[in-house]
Amino acid sequence: MKFVVIGITDAPEPFFSPEVKDIIRHGKVFSGGRRHHEIVASYLPAGAEWIDITVPLDAVFEQYLTVNHSHLTSHHSPLTIIVFASGDPLFFGFANTIRRKMPDAEVVVYPTFNSLQLLAHRLLMPYHDMRIVSLTGRPWPSFDQALIEGAGKIGALTDKEHTPATIAQRMLEYGYNHYIMYVGEHLGHPQQERVTTLTLQEAASRDFLMPNSVILTSDGASMKAHRPFGIPDTDFQLLDGREKMITKMPIRLLTLQALELPQRRVFWDIGFCTGSVSIEARLQFPHLQVCSFEIRPECESIIQENARRLGAPGIQILMGDFLDTDLSSLPRPDAVFIGGHGGRLKDMMAKVLTVLSDDGVMVFNSVTAPKVPTDSRQLWNEACEALGLHQDSPIHLQINDYHPITILRCRK
């Protein structure tokens, strides 16, 4: 099967080259979104068949296969389906979907400018240094990563959930208020196109016409530029003000080192308490997916406050007993830190092993305290032996007058 994918803007009278006009004139089966159909309907030949691109996409591709099979029966040659898509079909576009779902299909692309290019053109803004993020049908992680990494210029494709207003609200919630927002609405439409420059505070309370796209530019006061390597303990809200209920900064950094986070993808923090390890990991390694577990209900508001205060969006918080938590819908971890175990360390480790990736690691910090009846390192050693885990060389250290800590790591 062959696909010809033609990019268009919101212009009610799109420009087509002579070559593309000829392709359309001889086409039989066309496809695209309903908005695309409204724009190009007058250009289609008589008797043309149209397939709407709607979710679920599997049903759309089943229609493609059906019409192709029918065509093969009568013509003994593959069908060419002409698809209309927004902007550049290879820029987070439908041509990529075709190549993913039908890798053997022939694909030819005729692009036009995408919406972020059009917005940059309207602003006379160079965009070679722009960090591109798509929020169209996608969650926040890539956008959050761009913020944490201090991108000075961010281009964002939006949808009905990730609007300019919700983007601005999220940025303000986590302290990224040093950006200016440019919003382009109905770009390419001669009557409806509008480009607006706003502060985040202004954008957070505004409604915008769809479709739209956003460019964000920093005023230079990047949070990353002022972020220390190792967040001071005093920057965290504590559990009941108890200084001992936080993994101290030097130990925290060595713990992250033991977890080998630069090369990991999904990090689980079990027993997060104040969230210091989760937040440090999120800020130092923003490519990570971070899932944080805690049994004490009062800790939920503490980690949320600390994440907002320190600019760490995107941490997935799961409250309740870890041993009772359904893990089936969570991303599979390749790095796990057990910060609290309540005497059930072996059971926790056994449950982690049911989901831990084959090259994953588990890390645990054992405290040597004279009044603790059962040595946590003994529990760790017994669990590793019972579960057939390989232990790496431990790290021993002591910070000021606090009890000695041993950082322990094991693998499958």
Side-chain angles (χ1 to χ4, degrees), residues 200-357:
L200 294 182
Q201 290 80 1
E202 292 168 336
S205 58
R206 288 275 296 271
D207 292 325
F208 298 88
L209 297 175
M210 293 291 294
N212 59 60
S213 58
V214 164
I215 293 178
L216 296 153
T217 60
S218 169
D219 63 9
S222 169
M223 289 180 69
K224 181 184 179 184
H226 300 93
R227 184 181 299 139
F229 182 68
I231 305 167
D233 298 339
T234 53
D235 286 0
F236 290 95
Q237 177 183 328
L238 303 177
L239 176 61
D240 299 327
R242 297 153 64 187
E243 293 183 4
K244 293 185 178 181
M245 298 301 290
I246 185 174
T247 302
K248 298 296 179 290
M249 185 261 284
I251 299 170
R252 194 186 317 136
L253 293 179
L254 282 171
T255 299
L256 300 187
Q257 178 274 332
L259 288 159
E260 303 170 344
L261 294 185
Q263 66 209 54
R264 302 299 175 181
R265 300 175 305 279
V266 181
F267 169 52
W268 284 11
D269 179 10
I270 303 173
F272 63 71
C273 191
T274 63
S276 65
V277 173
S278 294
I279 291 169
E280 190 83 67
R282 185 79 180 111
L283 295 180
Q284 302 299 346
F285 307 100
H287 70 281
L288 286 173
Q289 287 183 264
V290 180
C291 298
S292 304
F293 303 80
E294 178 58 57
I295 193 171
R296 290 168 290 194
E298 62 270 28
C299 291
E300 183 173 13
S301 62
I302 294 175
I303 190 174
Q304 289 172 342
E305 170 58 27
N306 285 331
R308 284 191 292 265
R309 177 187 300 183
L310 296 164
I315 296 173
Q316 185 174 357
I317 300 169
L318 299 107
M319 302 304 299
D321 190 330
F322 175 76
L323 292 176
D324 295 332
T325 301
D326 181 6
L327 308 179
S328 60
S329 64
L330 299 177
R332 189 179 180 188
D334 51 8
V336 177
F337 174 61
I338 301 178
H341 58 89
R344 301 177 297 170
L345 183 58
K346 178 184 173 182
D347 293 337
M348 285 186 171
M349 294 170 68
K351 185 165 185 174
V352 168
L353 283 178
T354 65
V355 292
L356 186 69
S357 65

Side-chain angles (χ1 to χ4, degrees), residues 51-288:
I51 298 174
D52 271 328
I53 297 177
T54 57
V55 292
L57 289 180
D58 286 347
V60 177
F61 280 87
E62 283 296 327
Q63 291 183 70
Y64 293 160
L65 291 171
T66 299
V67 295
N68 183 58
H69 178 74
S70 176
H71 184 83
L72 283 170
T73 301
S74 56
H75 294 80
H76 307 290
S77 61
L79 176 68
T80 295
I81 298 178
I82 300 170
V83 180
F84 295 95
S86 296
D88 182 348
L90 289 170
F91 182 78
F92 299 100
F94 196 69
N96 299 320
T97 306
I98 296 172
R99 297 183 69 200
R100 186 177 68 253
K101 288 186 171 290
M102 303 183 73
D104 295 330
E106 180 184 354
V107 180
V108 178
V109 173
Y110 292 88
T112 190
F113 290 120
N114 64 62
S115 61
L116 289 175
Q117 287 176 309
L118 288 174
L119 181 52
H121 295 163
R122 302 299 187 263
L123 297 166
L124 290 180
M125 179 186 292
Y127 58 88
H128 58 274
D129 56 346
M130 185 161 61
R131 178 80 166 265
I132 306 298
V133 174
S134 177
L135 293 171
T136 305
R138 293 173 170 86
W140 291 105
S142 293
F143 182 77
D144 292 341
Q145 182 176 348
L147 289 180
I148 294 170
E149 291 178 349
K153 188 183 296 179
I154 304 172
L157 302 175
T158 63
D159 63 16
K160 292 181 179 179
E161 292 184 8
H162 305 88
T163 66
T166 57
I167 291 171
Q169 291 161 12
R170 187 175 186 85
M171 295 174 72
L172 291 170
E173 180 181 3
Y174 288 95
Y176 293 92
N177 52 9
H178 53 281
Y179 283 85
I180 296 295
M181 178 179 283
Y182 304 92
V183 181
E185 303 165 81
H186 281 289
L187 293 168
H189 195 293
Q191 284 80 44
Q192 298 180 16
E193 177 177 298
R194 182 171 63 181
V195 175
T196 313
T197 303
L198 311 105
T199 66
L200 294 182
Q201 290 80 1
E202 292 168 336
S205 58
R206 288 275 296 271
D207 292 325
F208 298 88
L209 297 175
M210 293 291 294
N212 59 60
S213 58
V214 164
I215 293 178
L216 296 153
T217 60
S218 169
D219 63 9
S222 169
M223 289 180 69
K224 181 184 179 184
H226 300 93
R227 184 181 299 139
F229 182 68
I231 305 167
D233 298 339
T234 53
D235 286 0
F236 290 95
Q237 177 183 328
L238 303 177
L239 176 61
D240 299 327
R242 297 153 64 187
E243 293 183 4
K244 293 185 178 181
M245 298 301 290
I246 185 174
T247 302
K248 298 296 179 290
M249 185 261 284
I251 299 170
R252 194 186 317 136
L253 293 179
L254 282 171
T255 299
L256 300 187
Q257 178 274 332
L259 288 159
E260 303 170 344
L261 294 185
Q263 66 209 54
R264 302 299 175 181
R265 300 175 305 279
V266 181
F267 169 52
W268 284 11
D269 179 10
I270 303 173
F272 63 71
C273 191
T274 63
S276 65
V277 173
S278 294
I279 291 169
E280 190 83 67
R282 185 79 180 111
L283 295 180
Q284 302 299 346
F285 307 100
H287 70 281
L288 286 173

